[in-house]
């Protein structure tokens, strides 16, 4: 069984180290796992129930929901902005949580990883993302974690895919998430 894992990156910057991590996860995905980076989070308007009306949902939000519906699992890449989750990632979670109780993320396995400049690698943001996605109905896999500190210096001259330690850790994360996705489909 192949698992389709939707990657959501909480940074919009083209050269973002978290985006590079997501690219590395896609490149290094083990056989039977496909990591697909969702493009277009910058175009999704802030969640507003007034515009979340069947038949007139904003196109970017509808595309996000379609991609999420087609996914077997989610891999969130959470940089840390001012000690917490970036708004773009929280907004994606909000859109995927609706309609209440039946959102596209409901019951699907979710892992949260990331990198940040600080010495803790963004764990506050990652913990906040796990909390938000759990409340939104996702099945947070608490024991899949990867927080890489010192991103600015560690990845200054190389892509995360070229860092042997990071590559091995990302491969393990995707492999374990694939296993959880397979369990969810079989259930």
């Amino acid at each position: 069984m192949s698992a389709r894992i939707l990657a959501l990156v909480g940074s919009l910057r083209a050269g973002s180290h978290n985006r590079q991590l997501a690219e590395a996860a896609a490149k290094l995905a083990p056989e039977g796992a496909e990591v697909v980076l969702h493009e277009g989070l910058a175009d999704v308007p802030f969640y507003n129930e007034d515009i979340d009306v069947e038949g007139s949902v904003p196109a970017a939000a509808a595309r996000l929901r379609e991609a999420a519906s087609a996914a077997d699992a989610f891999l969130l890449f959470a940089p840390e902005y001012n000690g917490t989750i970036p708004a773009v990632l929280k907004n994606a979670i909000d859109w995927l949580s609706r309609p209440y109780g039946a959102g596209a993320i409901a019951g699907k396995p979710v892992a949260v990883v990331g990198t940040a400049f600080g010495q803790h690698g963004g764990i506050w943001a990652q913990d906040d993302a796990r909390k938000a996605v759990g409340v939104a109905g996702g099945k947070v896999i608490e024991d899949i974690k990867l927080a890489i500190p010192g991103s600015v210096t560690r990845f200054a001259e190389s892509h995360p895919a070229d860092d042997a330690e990071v590559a091995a850790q990302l491969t393990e994360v995707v492999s374990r998430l694939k296993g959880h996705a397979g369990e969810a489909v079989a259930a």
Side-chain angles (χ1 to χ4, degrees), residues 10-27:
S11 174
L12 300 177
R13 189 172 63 84
S16 157
H17 295 122
N18 279 283
R19 180 172 181 80
Q20 290 176 4
L21 273 180
E23 292 167 353
K27 177 181 176 181

Side-chain angles (χ1 to χ4, degrees), residues 7-185:
L8 302 177
V9 180
S11 174
L12 300 177
R13 189 172 63 84
S16 157
H17 295 122
N18 279 283
R19 180 172 181 80
Q20 290 176 4
L21 273 180
E23 292 167 353
K27 177 181 176 181
L28 300 167
E31 186 175 331
E34 177 188 19
V35 176
V36 178
L37 275 73
H38 184 75
E39 302 291 348
L41 289 184
D43 301 324
V44 178
F46 281 114
Y47 184 79
N48 176 344
E49 202 168 359
D50 291 342
I51 63 172
D52 188 8
V53 179
E54 191 172 334
S56 64
V57 171
R63 284 191 299 275
L64 173 62
R65 285 179 172 165
E66 289 167 12
S69 292
D72 299 306
F74 298 86
L75 185 54
L76 278 52
F77 292 83
E80 193 165 88
Y81 290 4
N82 297 314
T84 192
I85 182 175
V88 68
L89 190 55
K90 176 63 169 70
N91 188 49
I93 293 167
D94 291 344
W95 276 101
L96 295 177
S97 73
R98 302 293 185 171
Y100 181 76
I105 205 164
K108 293 183 181 180
V110 181
V112 181
V113 299
T115 187
F117 176 67
Q119 66 181 341
H120 301 294
I123 58 173
W124 290 348
Q126 292 172 34
D127 286 345
D128 287 347
R130 286 184 192 93
K131 177 183 174 186
V133 81
V135 171
K139 181 184 173 194
V140 178
I141 310 302
E142 293 286 349
D143 64 340
I144 298 179
K145 295 183 178 181
L146 177 59
I148 303 167
S151 62
V152 172
T153 54
R154 183 162 191 165
F155 304 124
E157 309 227 354
S158 67
H159 193 281
D162 300 326
D163 181 311
E165 179 184 19
V166 171
Q169 292 170 327
L170 275 174
T171 301
E172 176 69 14
V173 163
V174 174
S175 180
R176 292 185 60 212
L177 186 56
K178 174 189 166 236
H180 284 280
E183 291 171 12
V185 169

